[in-house]
Amino acid sequence: MIPVQFITHDNGRFGYVEGARMALEGGCKWIQLRMKGASDDEFLAAAEVIGPLCRSHEAVFVLDDRVHLVRRAKADGVHLGRNDMPVDEARRVLGEDAIIGGTANTFEDIERLHRLGADYIGCGPFRFTTTKQNLAPVIGLDGYFTIVNRMRAAGIMLPVVAIGGILYDDIRAIMQTGVRGIAVSGAVLNAADPVAEMRRMVEL
């Protein structure tokens, strides 16, 4: 089974909490709560529902960016974008037991995040996606091959999760590049049956 992370999104059809619930029902074991533009109160209101859902499904629950809310939300950790708090600073705040991931677009990004103590890398985008603003340059299959091979040569063993516009039909080829998992959002929420689509991805 392929490790699949679900990143919350509001597509007008489904909200953040409903999307997370459907992903968990489909067998996803990793939810990242991302609510760009929401207030802390709105964010915490969603986290207070999604956190217990994750625990009941034995799934990891991480927050996007908001280090200061991790403990209040009883989350397992945080995912930090390229313009968010540095990984080493978040580690000082959250301690050694917290899961801390970082976003990368290049091998140099990964080298830096490894040096700062990240636990995993969200690397992308695989292709253009509308669920994220200020998109970095698209990586594609060749980019993942190159990055993973450079990591091996440098002795960097961090798990890499591919992200950005990934659809079910992309997964086999992406996993053959040597990445350890995928992160999805729109591909699940835009499906006719999001629960079934997540299950299809998880069971591939």
Side-chain angles (χ1 to χ4, degrees), residues 87 102-104 108-118 121 158:
V87 166
T103 295
E108 288 71 27
D109 290 338
I110 291 171
E111 237 180 356
R112 175 178 50 80
L113 290 166
H114 178 252
R115 224 172 29 245
L116 295 176
I121 303 293
L158 285 179

Side-chain angles (χ1 to χ4, degrees), residues 6 9-14 22 130-131 167 185-194 197:
F6 178 75
H9 179 57
D10 181 349
N11 68 351
R13 182 174 163 225
F14 302 114
M22 291 187 298
T130 58
T131 61
L167 304 172
S185 184
V188 172
L189 289 190
N190 296 332
D193 184 339
E197 185 67 6

Side-chain angles (χ1 to χ4, degrees), residues 68-89:
H68 62 292
L69 297 183
V70 168
R71 290 205 179 96
R72 285 175 67 187
K74 298 178 182 172
D76 298 301
V78 67
H79 184 89
L80 299 167
R82 297 167 85 192
N83 298 317
D84 296 338
M85 181 185 288
V87 166
D88 56 345
E89 191 176 329

Side-chain angles (χ1 to χ4, degrees), residues 2-133:
I2 291 169
V4 180
Q5 298 183 2
F6 178 75
I7 299 175
T8 63
H9 179 57
D10 181 349
N11 68 351
R13 182 174 163 225
F14 302 114
Y16 300 103
V17 172
E18 195 173 2
R21 182 183 285 113
M22 291 187 298
L24 291 165
E25 287 173 4
C28 183
K29 294 296 183 183
W30 187 298
I31 303 292
Q32 181 193 137
L33 178 57
R34 183 166 75 189
M35 293 176 67
K36 294 297 185 190
S39 69
D40 280 356
D41 286 344
E42 291 167 328
F43 193 95
L44 277 171
E48 283 166 6
V49 180
I50 295 171
L53 282 173
C54 286
R55 287 189 283 279
S56 68
H57 284 84
E58 297 181 339
V60 173
F61 178 43
V62 300
L63 309 184
D64 172 65
D65 178 14
R66 306 191 195 212
V67 173
H68 62 292
L69 297 183
V70 168
R71 290 205 179 96
R72 285 175 67 187
K74 298 178 182 172
D76 298 301
V78 67
H79 184 89
L80 299 167
R82 297 167 85 192
N83 298 317
D84 296 338
M85 181 185 288
V87 166
D88 56 345
E89 191 176 329
R91 179 70 67 200
R92 282 194 292 274
V93 173
L94 298 176
E96 291 303 314
D97 292 337
I99 297 169
I100 301 179
T103 295
N105 178 248
T106 65
F107 171 73
E108 288 71 27
D109 290 338
I110 291 171
E111 237 180 356
R112 175 178 50 80
L113 290 166
H114 178 252
R115 224 172 29 245
L116 295 176
D119 294 307
Y120 74 93
I121 303 293
C123 187
F126 169 65
R127 69 158 60 87
F128 178 79
T129 174
T130 58
T131 61
K132 184 160 186 186
Q133 297 176 334

Side-chain angles (χ1 to χ4, degrees), residues 107 110-111 114 146-157:
F107 171 73
I110 291 171
E111 237 180 356
H114 178 252
T146 301
I147 284 170
V148 169
N149 285 333
R150 288 188 70 184
M151 287 176 67
R152 286 175 180 153
I156 298 173
M157 307 308 291

